[in-house]
């Protein structure tokens, strides 16, 4: 049984001529594309560095929110218990 | 050697200039367009798609030029790296069949790596290589193409494919071994068999090391 070819294999296929290649060569077009899109894609260095730390920043914010919630819940619990219950003294029975 | 060093220095000066002045990139475009176009066309086999991809390669190079770091290779290595990724992405998106272009000169070169090359007639070399190429996976194929068809040094192959130099050497050695087996009319051993045994041994080693810790 013949195995199916994984790749299309060209043997001794001629290389395109200089004329054919030069037909597609156009630096001005690439330069125009660069001016249209290239600049927008570029980010300042500090933003590029910040990109790496964004997940860490989000994680830190989530942790801080949890700590804050935990603290708020704790203080409200404590504030409910802070007012001491009045002492009731019963007259001693003789 | 000296003139090569001077070329690299000159190229580096143009790159630094192009970082501030995009028009200066035109010199690099002129110098390498043909080379990159042919490299892509050998893998795509369509002039118009090759030209699109070549333009994309140069556009990406221009856009990411501030990130470019000189590693002692010509600027073309970086362009080859971008072109390789661009071609890979094209095949991932289009699901077309990959194209490999070979010619007799490079076939002879590959077979010259075999020790018992005199046993194989020149006529038989190309069908054998075709048989071998169909057995290789894409990463192996890229190494073979860069090493033998593009005649790149191992260091440069490693840089283009983002692997270590040793990895490139080992993989090339394996490809040559496969070719030897094909030439002798034997099926090459499945590579993943050896790997799975090695992985199993590593796993076993890890388990054996953790057992005393668990007991204690």
């Amino acid at each position: 049984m013949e195995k199916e070819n994984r790749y299309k294999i060209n043997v001794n296929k001629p290389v395109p001529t200089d004329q054919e290649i030069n037909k597609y060569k156009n630096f001005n077009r690439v330069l125009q594309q660069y001016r249209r899109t290239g600049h927008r894609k570029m980010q300042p260095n500090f933003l590029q560095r910040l990109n790496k730390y964004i997940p860490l920043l989000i994680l830190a914010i989530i942790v801080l929110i949890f700590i804050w919630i935990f603290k708020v819940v704790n203080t409200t619990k404590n504030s409910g218990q802070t007012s001491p219950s009045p002492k009731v003294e019963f007259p001693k029975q003789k | 050697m000296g003139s090569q060093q001077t070329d690299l220095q000159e190229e580096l000066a143009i790159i630094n200039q192009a970082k501030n002045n995009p028009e200066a990139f035109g010199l690099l475009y002129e110098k390498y367009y043909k080379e990159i176009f042919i490299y892509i066309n050998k893998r795509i086999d369509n002039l118009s798609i090759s030209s699109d991809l070549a333009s994309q390669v140069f556009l990406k190079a221009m856009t990411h030029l501030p990130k470019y770091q000189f590693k002692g290779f010509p600027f073309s290595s970086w362009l080859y790296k971008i072109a390789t990724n661009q071609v890979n992405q094209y095949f991932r998106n289009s699901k077309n069949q990959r194209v490999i272009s070979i010619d007799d000169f490079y076939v002879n070169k590959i077979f010259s790596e075999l020790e018992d090359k005199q046993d194989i007639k020149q006529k038989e070399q190309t069908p054998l290589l075709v048989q071998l190429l169909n057995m290789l996976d894409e990463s192996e194929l890229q190494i073979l193409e860069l090493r033998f068809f593009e005649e790149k040094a191992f260091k440069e192959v490693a840089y283009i494919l983002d692997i270590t130099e040793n990895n490139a050497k080992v993989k090339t050695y394996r490809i040559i071994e496969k070719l030897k087996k094909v030439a002798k009319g034997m099926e090459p051993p499945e590579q993943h068999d050896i790997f799975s045994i090695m992985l199993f041994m590593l796993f076993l080693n890890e388990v054996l090391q953790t057992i005393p810790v668990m007991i204690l």
Side-chain angles (χ1 to χ4, degrees):
Chain A
M1 203 174 81
E2 203 174 303
K3 277 183 192 172
E4 195 189 329
N5 283 347
R6 272 171 103 168
Y7 309 109
K8 181 188 169 193
I9 299 168
N10 294 332
V11 183
N12 293 331
K13 203 183 170 198
V15 175
T17 59
D18 281 359
Q19 214 176 358
E20 279 176 310
I21 296 172
N22 286 339
K23 209 169 72 182
Y24 297 105
K25 196 163 144 186
N26 188 349
F27 179 63
N28 282 336
R29 202 182 60 193
V30 177
L31 195 63
Q32 272 178 355
Q33 266 183 310
Y34 169 76
R35 287 198 169 123
R36 269 204 309 270
T37 60
H39 280 304
R40 258 179 267 149
K41 276 182 192 169
M42 285 268 296
Q43 285 179 340
N45 251 355
F46 75 93
L47 274 182
Q48 281 177 12
R49 265 182 237 157
L50 195 70
N51 266 349
K52 290 179 193 169
Y53 298 111
I54 281 177
L56 266 179
L57 204 71
I58 293 169
L59 197 73
I61 290 169
I62 291 170
V63 169
L64 284 174
I65 289 171
F66 268 104
I67 292 170
W68 179 72
I69 290 171
F70 184 74
K71 270 193 174 176
V72 167
V73 169
N74 255 8
T75 46
T76 48
K77 264 187 189 173
N78 286 342
S79 65
Q81 288 171 359
T82 44
S83 54
S85 52
K87 271 186 182 177
V88 181
E89 282 185 20
F90 294 100
K92 285 177 185 174
Q93 281 182 348
K94 285 185 182 176
Chain B
M1 189 75 185
S3 69
Q4 206 179 2
Q5 204 62 31
T6 330
D7 279 353
L8 287 180
Q9 290 302 324
E10 276 174 15
E11 207 170 71
L12 202 58
I14 298 170
I15 294 163
N16 287 332
Q17 203 187 333
K19 282 180 182 174
N20 301 317
N21 173 23
E23 274 93 358
F25 193 85
L27 293 169
L28 298 168
Y29 183 88
E30 282 295 321
K31 190 175 177 184
Y32 292 121
Y33 183 81
K34 187 182 169 188
E35 200 178 323
I36 295 299
F37 185 95
I38 292 172
Y39 176 75
I40 294 171
N41 192 56
K42 275 185 192 171
R43 284 144 191 84
I44 301 285
D45 199 21
N46 179 313
L47 285 177
S48 120
I49 297 171
S50 300
S51 83
D52 278 349
L53 291 182
S55 296
Q56 286 300 314
V57 168
F58 284 97
L59 181 64
K60 272 197 176 175
M62 280 181 87
T63 313
H64 295 103
L65 200 62
K67 283 187 199 168
Y68 173 76
Q69 283 177 330
F70 179 68
K71 299 262 168 100
F73 305 115
F75 184 67
S76 62
S77 305
W78 197 52
L79 294 173
Y80 274 102
K81 193 178 191 155
I82 300 172
T84 307
N85 291 335
Q86 204 70 25
V87 169
N88 287 345
Q89 199 183 344
Y90 167 78
F91 281 115
R92 266 199 304 272
N93 295 342
S94 68
K95 311 258 184 228
N96 284 348
Q97 198 178 23
R98 266 183 187 269
V99 182
I100 309 165
S101 301
I102 52 173
D103 60 55
D104 289 339
F105 173 75
Y106 296 114
V107 174
N108 284 336
K109 210 164 171 272
I110 294 175
F111 276 88
S112 70
E113 295 278 325
L114 303 181
E115 289 146 14
D116 45 2
K117 57 186 172 185
Q118 65 276 11
D119 296 345
I120 305 155
K121 287 173 196 159
Q122 205 160 350
K123 259 187 184 176
E124 294 166 353
Q125 286 180 352
T126 309
L128 276 175
L129 189 66
V130 169
Q131 201 185 331
L132 170 83
L133 291 174
N134 277 310
M135 284 173 180
L136 300 180
D137 63 37
E138 281 171 21
S139 67
E140 289 173 320
L141 187 69
Q142 282 174 345
I143 290 175
L144 185 91
E145 284 178 322
L146 286 168
R147 177 75 188 131
F148 294 107
F149 304 163
E150 303 297 330
E151 300 181 298
K152 301 281 178 203
F154 280 117
K155 253 188 186 176
E156 210 174 336
V157 172
Y159 172 72
I160 294 168
L161 297 178
D162 240 342
I163 55 176
T164 61
E165 194 184 338
N166 273 342
N167 199 351
K169 282 181 184 169
V170 168
K171 282 191 171 179
T172 310
Y173 172 75
R174 273 196 209 124
I175 294 166
I176 296 295
E177 284 300 304
K178 272 188 184 181
L179 184 58
K180 279 183 190 172
K181 300 255 173 176
V182 172
K184 284 177 187 165
M186 292 154 62
E187 278 287 309
E190 285 292 317
Q191 194 186 42
H192 61 258
D193 282 351
I194 301 158
F195 273 121
S196 55
I197 292 166
M198 277 171 68
L199 275 175
F200 178 71
M201 296 291 275
L202 279 172
F203 172 73
L204 204 67
N205 185 33
E206 286 288 314
V207 169
L208 287 173
Q209 277 179 354
T210 50
I211 285 172
V213 178
M214 282 165 71
I215 293 168
L216 288 171

